[in-house]
PDB file of all heavy atoms in Angstrom:
ATOM      1  N   CYS B  64     203.915  41.391 216.185  1.00  0.00           N
ATOM      2  CA  CYS B  64     205.194  40.751 215.881  1.00  0.00           C
ATOM      3  C   CYS B  64     206.172  40.812 217.059  1.00  0.00           C
ATOM      4  O   CYS B  64     206.886  39.848 217.346  1.00  0.00           O
ATOM      5  CB  CYS B  64     205.879  41.445 214.653  1.00  0.00           C
ATOM      6  SG  CYS B  64     205.021  41.079 213.103  1.00  0.00           S
ATOM      7  N   ARG B  65     206.156  41.917 217.799  1.00  0.00           N
ATOM      8  CA  ARG B  65     207.075  42.060 218.931  1.00  0.00           C
ATOM      9  C   ARG B  65     206.800  40.940 219.963  1.00  0.00           C
ATOM     10  O   ARG B  65     207.666  40.316 220.505  1.00  0.00           O
ATOM     11  CB  ARG B  65     206.889  43.417 219.591  1.00  0.00           C
ATOM     12  CG  ARG B  65     207.537  44.550 218.868  1.00  0.00           C
ATOM     13  CD  ARG B  65     207.299  45.836 219.530  1.00  0.00           C
ATOM     14  NE  ARG B  65     207.775  46.940 218.735  1.00  0.00           N
ATOM     15  CZ  ARG B  65     207.418  48.242 218.878  1.00  0.00           C
ATOM     16  NH1 ARG B  65     206.544  48.557 219.810  1.00  0.00           N
ATOM     17  NH2 ARG B  65     207.930  49.155 218.095  1.00  0.00           N
ATOM     18  N   LYS B  66     205.500  40.660 220.192  1.00  0.00           N
ATOM     19  CA  LYS B  66     205.160  39.650 221.178  1.00  0.00           C
ATOM     20  C   LYS B  66     205.535  38.253 220.650  1.00  0.00           C
ATOM     21  O   LYS B  66     206.079  37.448 221.395  1.00  0.00           O
ATOM     22  CB  LYS B  66     203.624  39.656 221.425  1.00  0.00           C
ATOM     23  CG  LYS B  66     203.230  40.605 222.524  1.00  0.00           C
ATOM     24  CD  LYS B  66     201.720  40.339 222.890  1.00  0.00           C
ATOM     25  CE  LYS B  66     201.118  41.613 223.455  1.00  0.00           C
ATOM     26  NZ  LYS B  66     199.641  41.643 223.389  1.00  0.00           N
ATOM     27  N   ALA B  67     205.226  38.030 219.411  1.00  0.00           N
ATOM     28  CA  ALA B  67     205.491  36.668 218.832  1.00  0.00           C
ATOM     29  C   ALA B  67     206.994  36.435 218.703  1.00  0.00           C
ATOM     30  O   ALA B  67     207.427  35.266 218.806  1.00  0.00           O
ATOM     31  CB  ALA B  67     204.858  36.598 217.452  1.00  0.00           C
ATOM     32  N   LEU B  68     207.804  37.483 218.533  1.00  0.00           N
ATOM     33  CA  LEU B  68     209.216  37.316 218.387  1.00  0.00           C
ATOM     34  C   LEU B  68     209.871  36.694 219.613  1.00  0.00           C
ATOM     35  O   LEU B  68     210.904  36.023 219.539  1.00  0.00           O
ATOM     36  CB  LEU B  68     209.915  38.657 218.050  1.00  0.00           C
ATOM     37  CG  LEU B  68     209.794  39.060 216.573  1.00  0.00           C
ATOM     38  CD1 LEU B  68     210.203  40.544 216.395  1.00  0.00           C
ATOM     39  CD2 LEU B  68     210.663  38.218 215.673  1.00  0.00           C
ATOM     40  N   VAL B  69     209.281  36.909 220.753  1.00  0.00           N
ATOM     41  CA  VAL B  69     209.815  36.421 222.017  1.00  0.00           C
ATOM     42  C   VAL B  69     209.971  34.915 221.993  1.00  0.00           C
ATOM     43  O   VAL B  69     210.896  34.293 222.526  1.00  0.00           O
ATOM     44  CB  VAL B  69     208.965  36.886 223.193  1.00  0.00           C
ATOM     45  CG1 VAL B  69     209.420  36.276 224.469  1.00  0.00           C
ATOM     46  CG2 VAL B  69     208.883  38.389 223.275  1.00  0.00           C
ATOM     47  N   LEU B  70     209.014  34.273 221.255  1.00  0.00           N
ATOM     48  CA  LEU B  70     208.988  32.789 221.203  1.00  0.00           C
ATOM     49  C   LEU B  70     209.981  32.259 220.182  1.00  0.00           C
ATOM     50  O   LEU B  70     210.394  31.108 220.260  1.00  0.00           O
ATOM     51  CB  LEU B  70     207.567  32.307 220.864  1.00  0.00           C
ATOM     52  CG  LEU B  70     206.518  32.808 221.879  1.00  0.00           C
ATOM     53  CD1 LEU B  70     205.142  32.447 221.402  1.00  0.00           C
ATOM     54  CD2 LEU B  70     206.779  32.224 223.248  1.00  0.00           C
ATOM     55  N   GLY B  71     210.346  33.094 219.193  1.00  0.00           N
ATOM     56  CA  GLY B  71     211.426  32.716 218.263  1.00  0.00           C
ATOM     57  C   GLY B  71     211.088  31.704 217.191  1.00  0.00           C
ATOM     58  O   GLY B  71     211.949  31.280 216.467  1.00  0.00           O
ATOM     59  N   GLN B  72     209.830  31.304 217.032  1.00  0.00           N
ATOM     60  CA  GLN B  72     209.411  30.296 216.087  1.00  0.00           C
ATOM     61  C   GLN B  72     208.363  30.879 215.131  1.00  0.00           C
ATOM     62  O   GLN B  72     207.522  31.657 215.545  1.00  0.00           O
ATOM     63  CB  GLN B  72     208.751  29.076 216.790  1.00  0.00           C
ATOM     64  CG  GLN B  72     209.753  28.401 217.745  1.00  0.00           C
ATOM     65  CD  GLN B  72     210.926  27.765 217.034  1.00  0.00           C
ATOM     66  OE1 GLN B  72     210.792  27.249 215.912  1.00  0.00           O
ATOM     67  NE2 GLN B  72     212.154  27.859 217.615  1.00  0.00           N
ATOM     68  N   ALA B  73     208.475  30.475 213.862  1.00  0.00           N
ATOM     69  CA  ALA B  73     207.514  30.939 212.893  1.00  0.00           C
ATOM     70  C   ALA B  73     207.041  29.841 211.983  1.00  0.00           C
ATOM     71  O   ALA B  73     207.822  28.967 211.597  1.00  0.00           O
ATOM     72  CB  ALA B  73     208.127  32.070 212.015  1.00  0.00           C
ATOM     73  N   ARG B  74     205.769  29.874 211.585  1.00  0.00           N
ATOM     74  CA  ARG B  74     205.198  28.916 210.609  1.00  0.00           C
ATOM     75  C   ARG B  74     204.683  29.672 209.381  1.00  0.00           C
ATOM     76  O   ARG B  74     204.401  29.056 208.372  1.00  0.00           O
ATOM     77  CB  ARG B  74     204.158  28.040 211.228  1.00  0.00           C
ATOM     78  CG  ARG B  74     204.611  26.886 212.154  1.00  0.00           C
ATOM     79  CD  ARG B  74     205.510  25.940 211.417  1.00  0.00           C
ATOM     80  NE  ARG B  74     204.987  25.532 210.108  1.00  0.00           N
ATOM     81  CZ  ARG B  74     203.918  24.677 209.928  1.00  0.00           C
ATOM     82  NH1 ARG B  74     203.383  24.070 210.950  1.00  0.00           N
ATOM     83  NH2 ARG B  74     203.523  24.341 208.726  1.00  0.00           N
ATOM     84  N   ALA B  75     204.392  30.988 209.570  1.00  0.00           N
ATOM     85  CA  ALA B  75     203.807  31.758 208.459  1.00  0.00           C
ATOM     86  C   ALA B  75     204.047  33.226 208.555  1.00  0.00           C
ATOM     87  O   ALA B  75     204.258  33.742 209.648  1.00  0.00           O
ATOM     88  CB  ALA B  75     202.288  31.441 208.355  1.00  0.00           C
ATOM     89  N   LEU B  76     204.066  33.878 207.405  1.00  0.00           N
ATOM     90  CA  LEU B  76     204.083  35.343 207.332  1.00  0.00           C
ATOM     91  C   LEU B  76     202.986  35.793 206.398  1.00  0.00           C
ATOM     92  O   LEU B  76     202.822  35.212 205.336  1.00  0.00           O
ATOM     93  CB  LEU B  76     205.460  35.753 206.731  1.00  0.00           C
ATOM     94  CG  LEU B  76     205.539  37.246 206.250  1.00  0.00           C
ATOM     95  CD1 LEU B  76     205.493  38.208 207.467  1.00  0.00           C
ATOM     96  CD2 LEU B  76     206.774  37.489 205.421  1.00  0.00           C
ATOM     97  N   VAL B  77     202.163  36.734 206.893  1.00  0.00           N
ATOM     98  CA  VAL B  77     201.105  37.289 206.088  1.00  0.00           C
ATOM     99  C   VAL B  77     201.383  38.792 205.883  1.00  0.00           C
ATOM    100  O   VAL B  77     201.557  39.504 206.888  1.00  0.00           O
ATOM    101  CB  VAL B  77     199.715  37.097 206.731  1.00  0.00           C
ATOM    102  CG1 VAL B  77     198.634  37.749 205.889  1.00  0.00           C
ATOM    103  CG2 VAL B  77     199.473  35.634 207.020  1.00  0.00           C
ATOM    104  N   VAL B  78     201.399  39.258 204.630  1.00  0.00           N
ATOM    105  CA  VAL B  78     201.624  40.665 204.386  1.00  0.00           C
ATOM    106  C   VAL B  78     200.473  41.267 203.614  1.00  0.00           C
ATOM    107  O   VAL B  78     200.071  40.706 202.587  1.00  0.00           O
ATOM    108  CB  VAL B  78     202.938  40.862 203.585  1.00  0.00           C
ATOM    109  CG1 VAL B  78     203.225  42.382 203.467  1.00  0.00           C
ATOM    110  CG2 VAL B  78     204.120  40.156 204.223  1.00  0.00           C
ATOM    111  N   ASN B  79     199.889  42.323 204.132  1.00  0.00           N
ATOM    112  CA  ASN B  79     198.816  43.026 203.493  1.00  0.00           C
ATOM    113  C   ASN B  79     199.302  44.345 202.936  1.00  0.00           C
ATOM    114  O   ASN B  79     199.964  45.098 203.661  1.00  0.00           O
ATOM    115  CB  ASN B  79     197.681  43.363 204.506  1.00  0.00           C
ATOM    116  CG  ASN B  79     197.247  42.096 205.295  1.00  0.00           C
ATOM    117  OD1 ASN B  79     196.740  41.166 204.677  1.00  0.00           O
ATOM    118  ND2 ASN B  79     197.488  42.093 206.557  1.00  0.00           N
ATOM    119  N   ALA B  80     198.932  44.639 201.691  1.00  0.00           N
ATOM    120  CA  ALA B  80     199.401  45.900 201.040  1.00  0.00           C
ATOM    121  C   ALA B  80     198.181  46.742 200.699  1.00  0.00           C
ATOM    122  O   ALA B  80     197.166  46.217 200.174  1.00  0.00           O
ATOM    123  CB  ALA B  80     200.201  45.580 199.802  1.00  0.00           C
ATOM    124  N   GLY B  81     198.287  48.063 200.961  1.00  0.00           N
ATOM    125  CA  GLY B  81     197.192  48.962 200.635  1.00  0.00           C
ATOM    126  C   GLY B  81     196.504  49.538 201.867  1.00  0.00           C
ATOM    127  O   GLY B  81     195.744  50.514 201.746  1.00  0.00           O
ATOM    128  N   ASN B  82     196.780  48.950 203.013  1.00  0.00           N
ATOM    129  CA  ASN B  82     196.205  49.422 204.276  1.00  0.00           C
ATOM    130  C   ASN B  82     197.157  49.059 205.363  1.00  0.00           C
ATOM    131  O   ASN B  82     197.390  47.863 205.634  1.00  0.00           O
ATOM    132  CB  ASN B  82     194.815  48.748 204.478  1.00  0.00           C
ATOM    133  CG  ASN B  82     194.072  49.313 205.726  1.00  0.00           C
ATOM    134  OD1 ASN B  82     194.747  49.643 206.710  1.00  0.00           O
ATOM    135  ND2 ASN B  82     192.781  49.381 205.670  1.00  0.00           N
ATOM    136  N   SER B  83     197.680  50.087 206.095  1.00  0.00           N
ATOM    137  CA  SER B  83     198.645  49.760 207.153  1.00  0.00           C
ATOM    138  C   SER B  83     197.948  49.343 208.441  1.00  0.00           C
ATOM    139  O   SER B  83     198.650  48.842 209.351  1.00  0.00           O
ATOM    140  CB  SER B  83     199.551  50.970 207.404  1.00  0.00           C
ATOM    141  OG  SER B  83     198.851  51.899 208.230  1.00  0.00           O
TER     142      SER B  83
END
Side-chain angles (χ1 to χ4, degrees):
Chain B
C64 288
R65 285 178 186 161
K66 272 189 206 159
L68 280 167
V69 175
L70 303 173
Q72 299 295 322
R74 285 299 314 285
L76 166 69
V77 179
V78 185
N79 308 297
N82 184 326
S83 78

